[in-house]
Amino acid sequence: MRHAHPERDHDHHPHSGGGRRQRFFGHGELRLVILDILTRNASHGYELIKAIESLTQGNYTPSPGVIYPTLDFLQDQQFITITEEENGRKKLAITVAGQLWLDENLEQLEQIQTRIKARCVGAQLRKNPQMKRALDNFKAVLDLRVNQAPLSDAQLKQIIGVIDRAALEISQLD
């Protein structure tokens, strides 16, 4: 069965406590990541899921509902071949056309890889107990302050100023 939106994932993760977060991959990016993985060896769908989970250091695991429609799309574009093995498993391999498309998009792939590394560092940092406590404290204080009573324009301007100064100070750290 073909799906109209092969990469419409909302970056849900079993350990995220639910809720919607920023998508891990933008439109079309998962296709490049999959082709890049396939350049190293032919694989199976489950192995691709595990390779992506490993690439993102466990911060994102694509569901079969995301992977298989994306593979269908890549096959339709003749960027991969899918062959059935004797044991019934389907083996994936990148085609010459897929390699050419990947080569044409290497700059975008590098940007994706850089962003993945940065997000993994950020995820590790948010797991640090002191960082988690500080972030939770910030969210709680901000939530209490803005929800306890209507804010005047001056108060809102002050809060925005504090946040902007903190962001600037953090960005200027060595």
Side-chain angles (χ1 to χ4, degrees), residues 37-49:
I37 291 168
L38 292 176
T39 63
R40 291 185 282 286
N41 58 7
S43 191
H44 302 90
Y46 178 76
E47 291 168 345
L48 273 176
I49 291 170

Side-chain angles (χ1 to χ4, degrees), residues 67-137:
I67 286 292
Y68 291 106
T70 303
L71 294 176
D72 287 342
F73 176 85
L74 291 171
Q75 184 181 32
D76 289 346
Q77 298 299 306
Q78 299 180 346
F79 291 162
I80 65 170
T81 57
I82 302 176
T83 54
E84 193 156 334
E85 297 179 316
E86 289 178 21
N87 61 8
R89 292 178 71 188
K90 294 183 178 181
K91 190 167 192 165
L92 313 168
I94 189 168
T95 64
V96 172
Q99 184 64 58
L100 287 171
W101 188 70
L102 184 63
D103 292 345
E104 291 170 7
N105 292 282
L106 279 181
E107 188 177 318
Q108 184 182 3
L109 178 63
E110 288 171 6
Q111 291 170 357
I112 295 165
Q113 291 167 335
T114 299
R115 193 180 70 238
I116 288 170
K117 287 177 188 165
R119 285 190 67 178
C120 289
V121 168
Q124 287 304 107
L125 185 58
R126 286 186 299 276
K127 291 177 184 174
N128 174 291
Q130 291 301 315
M131 178 60 79
K132 184 171 176 11
R133 180 207 50 78
L135 287 171
D136 288 346
N137 184 39

Side-chain angles (χ1 to χ4, degrees), residues 16 23 36 50-51 82 88 123 129 133 135 140 149 163 165 167 171:
S16 68
R23 289 171 52 152
D36 183 53
K50 289 298 169 192
I82 302 176
R133 180 207 50 78
L135 287 171
I163 294 170
R165 283 190 303 279
S171 74

Side-chain angles (χ1 to χ4, degrees), residues 6-75:
E7 294 182 32
R8 182 177 284 170
D9 78 86
H10 300 291
D11 197 22
H12 288 288
H13 192 275
H15 305 294
S16 68
R20 185 175 170 150
R21 296 185 295 173
Q22 179 184 359
R23 289 171 52 152
F24 209 93
F25 293 108
H27 181 71
E29 292 181 343
L30 184 59
R31 299 170 195 164
L32 288 172
V33 171
I34 288 171
L35 289 176
D36 183 53
I37 291 168
L38 292 176
T39 63
R40 291 185 282 286
N41 58 7
S43 191
H44 302 90
Y46 178 76
E47 291 168 345
L48 273 176
I49 291 170
K50 289 298 169 192
I52 293 167
E53 182 178 39
S54 176
L55 178 71
T56 64
Q57 297 178 20
N59 292 298
Y60 173 69
T61 305
S63 70
V66 170
I67 286 292
Y68 291 106
T70 303
L71 294 176
D72 287 342
F73 176 85
L74 291 171
Q75 184 181 32

Side-chain angles (χ1 to χ4, degrees), residues 132-150:
K132 184 171 176 11
R133 180 207 50 78
L135 287 171
D136 288 346
N137 184 39
F138 177 77
K139 288 185 230 175
V141 167
L142 187 60
D143 188 50
L144 278 172
R145 186 66 182 114
V146 299
N147 289 323
Q148 65 178 248

